[in-house]
Each structure stands twice: as structure tokens, then as C-alpha cells.
């Protein structure tokens, strides 16, 4: 199994550009989420989804959109990139059960200039 | 809403020293607790987890954590650290109810010198 796959691994954007970070999992996990990791801030939840067609906001949703049209995919869209969105982004998934641990992707390092 | 506090931002130890990383959470209900580790350049990996039962849980690589409900704490321990334990450690908490997300602490960087 591939687990959680994130693409791209690295990306450089200019302010105002848009892009989509891809996330796919092959474990049939109902729950998927996006975190951003910044030095001294830990991981902060951006958006999450408990199943296809259902999404909800996390701690820092502004500037990001998500959709969940299939169980496998959970793309994160930056509509107009800003330097404050320079970060490492992690996608994670798990089964919906209460005691199911998260499985993380390898991360996407995004730089906005 | 739940929150997580990790007391130590950066811990520096020599090999063979004992380790204890503090983690406190705030939430009045039942929680699931986790410690994740992130080695340099890698993604997060689950170190150990607590859901119920014995409050002393053992994880991989000789780590353990103790859940003390009265103190809302879930401290991570290892009797003797190795250079390869150099990493960032994250405590995380999830309310034991449907639809809630996993909330992470800000992390503790552990540097072990050989």
C-alpha cells in the first residue's frame, strides 16, 4: 500500500498565484485532514473531512479551500497565495473510529515569495 | 474545545540521560492521547497512544507515557536516550467523540549529543 501520498514535495509560488496541493490515500480512510507546520507553532489544523462530500474548518482555514468528492482524495487549494502561507503542509488520514491513529503523508514544502 | 500544551520547547541531553517531556491538555471529557515523533526531514510517525485502560502505555523504541487524569497530563519518558532519538516530539489530543479533530501541541525539539 502507498499509504498517504502528497504531491508535489516542493513548490515555490509568487504572491497571488493559485495552486492545489494533492493528497490521496489508498487505505479507505473516512477521515482526512490538512495541517500546516510552522517553527514553534506545531501542527495546526486547516481543514478536515469525515467522509466524501463533507468538509469542515479547522483552526486556520482562511486562505484555503478543500473539497472531498471521493473517499481517496482531499486536495487543498490556495486561491491567492500569500507569504504567510509559506509552510510545510501535511495531509493525514485515519479510520473514523474514535481510537484510530492518524497516518501522515511526507509533506509539501511551500514557499511563497 | 480541547488544547494541548507542551512545556519544553527545546531539550538538550547527552546519550544515556533520562528523558521526560511534559504534555498537558485541557478538555473536560474523555480523550484519546498520542505522541508523535518527526525525525529530521521525515513525516510524523506515531510513537504511542492511550485510549483507555492501563494509564502507563509503552510505545516503540523504548518510549513510554503515563496518563494522569487528575493532572490532565500525558508525559513522555525514556530511561536512556540515544543519539538517534534526536527529533521533534508532538503531543496530541482528540476528544473521544465523533467528528472531532486531533489537536497538536507546539512540539518539543530533542537534541541528543553523543
Amino acid at each position: 500500500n502507498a499509504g498517504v501520498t502528497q504531491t508535489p514535495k516542493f513548490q515555490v509560488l509568487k504572491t497571488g498565484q493559485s495552486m492545489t496541493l494533492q493528497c490521496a490515500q489508498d487505505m479507505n480512510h473516512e477521515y482526512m485532514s490538512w495541517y500546516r507546520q510552522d517553527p514553534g507553532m506545531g501542527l495546526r489544523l486547516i481543514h478536515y473531512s469525515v467522509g466524501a462530500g463533507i468538509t469542515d474548518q479547522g483552526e486556520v482555514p482562511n486562505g484555503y479551500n478543500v473539497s472531498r468528492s471521493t473517499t481517496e482524495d482531499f486536495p487543498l487549494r490556495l486561491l491567492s497565495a500569500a507569504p504567510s502561507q509559506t509552510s510545510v503542509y501535511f495531509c493525514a488520514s485515519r479510520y473514523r473510529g474514535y481510537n484510530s491513529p492518524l497516518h501522515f503523508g511526507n509533506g509539501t514544502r511551500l514557499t511563497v515569495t | 474545545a480541547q488544547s494541548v500544551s507542551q512545556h519544553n520547547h527545546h531539550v538538550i541531553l547527552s546519550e544515556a540521560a533520562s528523558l521526560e517531556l511534559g504534555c498537558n491538555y485541557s478538555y473536560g471529557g474523555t480523550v484519546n492521547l498520542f505522541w508523535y515523533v518527526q525525525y529530521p526531514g521525515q513525516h510524523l510517525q506515531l510513537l504511542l497512544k492511550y485510549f483507555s485502560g492501563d494509564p502507563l502505555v509503552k510505545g516503540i523504541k523504548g518510549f513510554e507515557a503515563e496518563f494522569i487524569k487528575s493532572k490532565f497530563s500525558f508525559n513522555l519518558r525514556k530511561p536512556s536516550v540515544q543519539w538517534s532519538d534526536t527529533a521533534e516530539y508532538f503531543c496530541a489530543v482528540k476528544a473521544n467523540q465523533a467528528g472531532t479533530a486531533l489537536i497538536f501541541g507546539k512540539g518539543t525539539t530533542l537534541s541528543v549529543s553523543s
Side-chain angles (χ1 to χ4, degrees):
Chain A
N1 287 343
V4 180
T5 303
Q6 287 185 239
T7 55
K9 291 185 178 180
F10 302 95
Q11 183 70 50
V12 179
L13 292 177
K14 293 183 178 180
T15 297
Q17 287 185 314
S18 63
M19 79 159 295
T20 299
L21 279 64
Q22 301 292 344
C23 175
Q25 52 89 12
D26 61 357
M27 297 172 281
N28 204 30
H29 286 169
E30 299 94 340
Y31 179 95
M32 297 185 74
S33 55
W34 277 102
Y35 289 87
R36 59 176 290 173
Q37 183 181 24
D38 303 290
M41 302 294 290
L43 281 85
R44 292 180 292 171
L45 183 64
I46 304 172
H47 286 283
Y48 66 99
S49 168
V50 297
I54 306 169
T55 63
D56 208 345
Q57 295 182 349
E59 182 184 357
V60 288
N62 292 340
Y64 307 95
N65 280 352
V66 292
S67 60
R68 185 90 181 273
S69 56
T70 66
T71 299
E72 295 78 18
D73 300 298
F74 191 46
L76 179 72
R77 297 183 186 86
L78 283 72
L79 300 179
S80 178
S84 61
Q85 294 179 305
T86 293
S87 185
V88 179
Y89 292 84
F90 286 98
C91 180
S93 71
R94 63 173 172 81
Y95 291 112
R96 195 164 56 186
Y98 300 159
N99 57 6
S100 178
L102 277 176
H103 296 258
F104 283 87
N106 287 331
T108 296
R109 184 174 294 276
L110 174 67
T111 301
V112 183
T113 60
Chain B
Q2 63 269 32
S3 65
V4 182
S5 175
Q6 291 183 241
H7 315 300
N8 314 101
H9 179 63
H10 194 181
V11 174
I12 302 172
L13 295 173
S14 299
E15 275 196 322
S18 64
L19 170 72
E20 181 161 3
L21 301 182
C23 173
N24 285 89
Y25 68 93
S26 63
Y27 183 71
T30 304
V31 293
N32 298 327
L33 297 159
F34 306 82
W35 276 97
Y36 281 84
V37 60
Q38 185 179 31
Y39 298 103
Q42 298 186 25
H43 64 285
L44 281 83
Q45 303 171 43
L46 182 65
L47 203 53
L48 51 78
K49 59 186 184 291
Y50 171 81
F51 299 134
S52 63
D54 188 346
L56 184 62
V57 292
K58 296 189 183 298
I60 60 173
K61 304 184 179 184
F63 286 90
E64 64 179 31
E66 184 175 12
F67 170 51
I68 302 179
K69 189 175 181 180
S70 61
K71 295 185 178 180
F72 298 89
S73 69
F74 190 56
N75 292 354
L76 181 70
R77 300 194 293 246
K78 185 171 184 178
S80 177
V81 296
Q82 300 173 316
W83 177 81
S84 58
D85 293 325
T86 294
E88 191 159 16
Y89 293 81
F90 294 93
C91 182
V93 62
K94 179 188 176 304
N96 190 17
Q97 60 185 47
T100 59
L102 189 64
I103 303 300
F104 285 84
K106 293 185 177 181
T108 298
T109 300
L110 173 64
S111 299
V112 180
S113 58
S114 57

